[in-house]
Amino acid sequence: FEERIRFKKMSHQAKYLAEKYHVAFLATMEYHKLASGTSPENSNLAETVQMEYDLSMILHVYNELKDVGIEKAKLVTILENGAETKTIPIVDVRVGKNKQTAFQDKLYFNFYPEKGKFLETTSDAAKTALNRGNDRRLEGLS
């Protein structure tokens, strides 16, 4: 099939399976090329609008540490264990669409890459990280 029709069929099939079996259907999608330091949103999705229409929830996961590098990233948690200091990313998860509840905000998670583990943190912790001598701010944090 041509790409538009193929994505439409995949989208309908995923929605059908999720509704029929009452399960969460998780999928990843590609974004259009984004400038460094840009947090993604629904309009950045590369796939067809049909996927966005059929989905019950869209989460955009942004890792500033991966995007701008350890020297420039401020959205990080610094762990100090004796003489050892470790920097881990705070992952910004923006809810782009949510048909299940009214929640349409951001969530923040400390991400431990070596364990593949996300632990929820607070907006206050993210604000504190951003205020470490840096004038960059994430949209939505005041």
Side-chain angles (χ1 to χ4, degrees):
F1 298 107
E2 81 175 58
E3 189 170 356
R4 186 181 60 79
I5 293 172
R6 185 169 52 92
F7 277 116
K8 191 171 185 175
K9 285 185 174 288
M10 287 188 326
S11 179
H12 286 311
Q13 186 65 23
K15 184 176 180 179
Y16 166 76
L17 291 171
E19 289 175 351
K20 179 177 180 179
Y21 296 108
H22 303 287
V23 296
F25 189 93
L26 302 176
T28 60
M29 297 175 73
E30 290 186 40
Y31 291 107
H32 296 290
K33 184 136 178 92
L34 297 174
S36 181
T38 303
S39 187
E41 54 189 45
N42 290 0
S43 62
N44 301 124
L45 293 173
E47 273 84 4
T48 177
V49 175
Q50 187 66 44
M51 296 290 265
E52 184 179 348
Y53 175 76
D54 282 340
L55 299 174
S56 295
M57 178 175 273
I58 298 174
L59 300 175
H60 302 282
V61 180
Y62 176 68
N63 176 355
E64 182 193 39
L65 185 63
K66 175 73 173 165
D67 193 19
V68 300
I70 198 164
E71 298 80 23
K72 293 183 181 179
K74 290 298 177 186
L75 197 58
V76 295
T77 296
I78 299 171
L79 303 175
E80 294 181 6
N81 184 6
E84 186 180 358
T85 300
K86 184 176 184 177
T87 302
I88 62 169
I90 298 176
V91 175
D92 167 357
V93 178
R94 178 178 296 184
V95 178
K97 179 179 180 179
N98 187 353
K99 287 184 180 178
Q100 307 305 314
T101 70
F103 185 79
Q104 293 282 328
D105 203 355
K106 288 184 183 181
L107 299 170
Y108 298 92
F109 297 88
N110 284 328
F111 177 51
Y112 299 83
E114 68 280 356
K115 298 178 182 178
K117 186 175 186 178
F118 292 88
L119 294 178
E120 190 170 4
T121 188
T122 64
S123 293
D124 289 340
K127 288 178 194 177
T128 299
L130 286 168
N131 288 323
R132 270 192 221 112
N134 175 348
D135 55 25
R136 285 183 297 132
R137 298 290 180 265
L138 280 183
E139 178 184 322
L141 286 179
S142 52

